[in-house]
Amino acid sequence: MARRRTRGLTLVEVLITVTVIAVISGSVILGMGAVTSARLKRSAALVAGAVRVAYAHANAQSKPVRLVFDFEERVIALEESTSALAIERNDRTGGAAAATDAERAAVEEAESILKGPRAPRPSFQPAKAYGFNPEEGRAGKELSSGVRFLQVETAHQDDPVAEGRAYLYFWPGGQTERAAIQLSLGAGGTEDSVMTVLVSPLTGKTELRRGKVSMPRPRDDAEASEREDTGF
């Protein structure tokens, strides 16, 4: 009986196979990168759109309005108040009534230091506007899958907020705060996986930047007054 010969792979065939696998793997990785990058851009556009809605809503309703950035839930919500709001610097809520236990504790601690009567803090309630409908039972607009708030800088706080809730305020007549909202894809927070939404005062204009961009701080009292839009 004739012995059947078994033919092995040649070196050329092995190299071709490895090259094909590498090309396919590279295409998959590039495709995944494009998808994740699109999610980050979509979330940044969501934040920028929410800023425009809040800016317009404050003018249309003649009420103070704020955007709520919920780090744990990864959502951005729109709220309004029927009372006037005077911003308090370095206050956990910016001068508004506390909405969480952590905020209540911080407000009580801050007010225990001050003496004399104080005006009631204005409370904020969910607002109904374009794209925001609290009647549907949703807290707000959720960021894309895998995207989270990295940190939020606003003019009424010296230090960025990186946990809990952060607030960006708007007033009737066309005015808001300077702000920088950083979004991160995943937990790494590397430069190539972060986008920043910059908000300019007065006009509420937004600008999307790649990487971690800090909020421009006013250089003098004239800029700090925010009566003039100093841009970026």
Side-chain angles (χ1 to χ4, degrees), residues 32-205:
M32 290 176 61
V35 171
T36 53
S37 178
R39 292 205 303 265
L40 186 59
K41 291 178 181 177
R42 189 161 56 245
S43 295
L46 175 69
V47 172
V51 169
R52 299 308 302 171
V53 170
Y55 184 87
H57 189 74
N59 284 326
Q61 300 298 319
S62 296
K63 296 178 180 179
V65 170
R66 71 182 182 184
L67 287 177
V68 182
F69 304 97
D70 192 314
F71 283 74
E72 183 176 346
E73 299 295 331
R74 299 174 39 260
V75 301
I76 178 170
L78 179 69
E79 296 181 344
E80 64 184 17
S81 177
T82 56
S83 304
L85 172 70
I87 280 290
E88 295 188 17
R89 288 294 303 273
N90 291 321
D91 185 273
R92 181 72 176 254
T93 65
T100 67
D101 291 339
E103 290 176 1
R104 275 186 282 275
V107 168
E108 289 175 1
E109 181 180 358
E111 292 187 345
S112 66
I113 302 174
L114 302 175
K115 296 181 179 180
R118 290 177 53 85
R121 289 172 171 254
S123 60
F124 281 76
Q125 304 297 327
K128 185 175 182 179
Y130 179 78
F132 292 91
N133 189 2
E135 295 176 359
E136 294 180 353
R138 296 191 304 174
K141 295 183 177 182
E142 186 176 358
L143 300 178
S144 298
S145 175
V147 180
R148 64 184 181 89
F149 297 113
L150 184 61
Q151 69 174 33
V152 176
E153 285 185 276
T154 55
H156 72 267
Q157 289 190 292
D158 291 338
D159 298 321
V161 177
E163 61 181 1
R165 288 158 56 116
Y167 302 104
L168 174 60
Y169 288 95
F170 302 78
W171 292 271
Q175 190 174 349
T176 183
E177 304 179 86
R178 288 181 179 87
I181 301 101
Q182 294 183 5
L183 303 172
S184 175
L185 187 59
T190 57
E191 283 292 329
D192 58 351
S193 65
V194 174
M195 285 197 74
T196 303
V197 181
L198 292 172
V199 181
S200 189
L202 197 59
T203 61
K205 181 178 67 176

Side-chain angles (χ1 to χ4, degrees), residues 11-54:
L11 179 59
V12 173
E13 290 172 327
V14 171
L15 291 176
I16 292 175
T17 302
V18 171
T19 301
V20 170
I21 293 174
V23 170
I24 294 175
S25 299
S27 299
V28 171
I29 292 172
L30 288 174
M32 290 176 61
V35 171
T36 53
S37 178
R39 292 205 303 265
L40 186 59
K41 291 178 181 177
R42 189 161 56 245
S43 295
L46 175 69
V47 172
V51 169
R52 299 308 302 171
V53 170

